[in-house]
Amino acid sequence: GEIIGKLDGKIKKQWYTNGQGAFKLTINNLSVGEGSIKTALGPFEMPLIDLGTVQTMISLEQGAIKITDWQQSGKDLEASSINGKITLQKKTDNSAIDIKLSFKPSADFLSKNKKFGAMLQMAGLKKDDKDNYNLDLGGKLGSPKIKGGPRIQ
């Protein structure tokens, strides 16, 4: 793939509380997955997921990273929105997550990866009226948690 970015900002001594700036990021031909994820329900083998092109704007201010713009289109999954923030701490793993993600796997991807669909159900994710799954992430960066669902390790 290809990553294109532009960073504008200031990093100070205590960057996790005093940093400020913005980062525009474009990633072409992005794929994720194809590995094992530990969950409270046991290990899960994540399939390779073609996310295609991602364009986002991320800001850093007052000790928090915020996603201020999101566009993505891919063959296997489309994330229609990502909103929220990560409140930074000196030890990055302790940074608090508060992110909401709305996504829709393609019918072809789900038919080829039935365990992925089952994992979404086991995690307690439900479809909305547009067939999007809505994921509410919380916890710490080092041990994120699906709100109302199992902890991801």
Side-chain angles (χ1 to χ4, degrees), residues 97-111:
I97 302 171
D98 183 14
I99 295 177
K100 292 176 178 25
L101 166 65
S102 181
F103 65 95
K104 181 178 181 179
S106 72
D108 185 52
F109 176 78
L110 287 175
S111 71

Side-chain angles (χ1 to χ4, degrees), residues 101-103 105 116-128 132-137 146-150 152:
L101 166 65
S102 181
F103 65 95
F116 186 83
M119 187 263 316
L120 294 174
Q121 290 177 349
M122 285 191 302
L125 300 182
K126 307 246 187 289
K127 290 184 181 180
D128 63 17
N132 288 318
Y133 288 94
N134 295 294
L135 178 67
D136 196 356
L137 281 177
I146 299 170
K147 292 181 182 177
I152 304 165

Side-chain angles (χ1 to χ4, degrees), residues 1-125:
E2 175 184 36
I3 299 175
I4 303 165
K6 181 181 178 188
L7 177 63
D8 179 28
K10 297 176 184 175
I11 304 296
K12 298 179 181 179
K13 185 175 181 179
Q14 291 185 320
W15 63 271
Y16 53 93
T17 57
N18 296 321
Q20 65 184 47
F23 184 68
K24 182 176 183 177
L25 178 67
T26 299
I27 305 173
N28 297 314
N29 303 314
L30 177 63
S31 294
V32 297
E34 204 161 39
S36 185
I37 297 174
K38 294 178 185 177
T39 72
L41 303 172
F44 172 74
E45 292 302 318
M46 180 69 85
L48 184 66
I49 303 171
D50 178 350
L51 295 176
T53 299
V54 172
Q55 294 180 320
T56 188
M57 178 66 84
I58 300 167
S59 68
L60 170 62
E61 57 186 57
Q62 298 177 349
I65 295 173
K66 296 177 183 174
I67 300 166
T68 57
D69 186 34
W70 176 265
Q71 297 174 10
Q72 179 268 330
S73 61
K75 182 181 88 168
D76 295 334
L77 184 141
E78 188 163 330
S80 57
S81 69
I82 297 181
N83 297 299
K85 66 181 180 178
I86 299 173
T87 304
L88 299 171
Q89 299 295 319
K90 184 175 183 177
K91 185 175 179 199
T92 309
D93 280 358
N94 289 335
S95 298
I97 302 171
D98 183 14
I99 295 177
K100 292 176 178 25
L101 166 65
S102 181
F103 65 95
K104 181 178 181 179
S106 72
D108 185 52
F109 176 78
L110 287 175
S111 71
K112 291 177 183 175
N113 297 282
K114 296 193 185 308
K115 288 184 180 180
F116 186 83
M119 187 263 316
L120 294 174
Q121 290 177 349
M122 285 191 302
L125 300 182

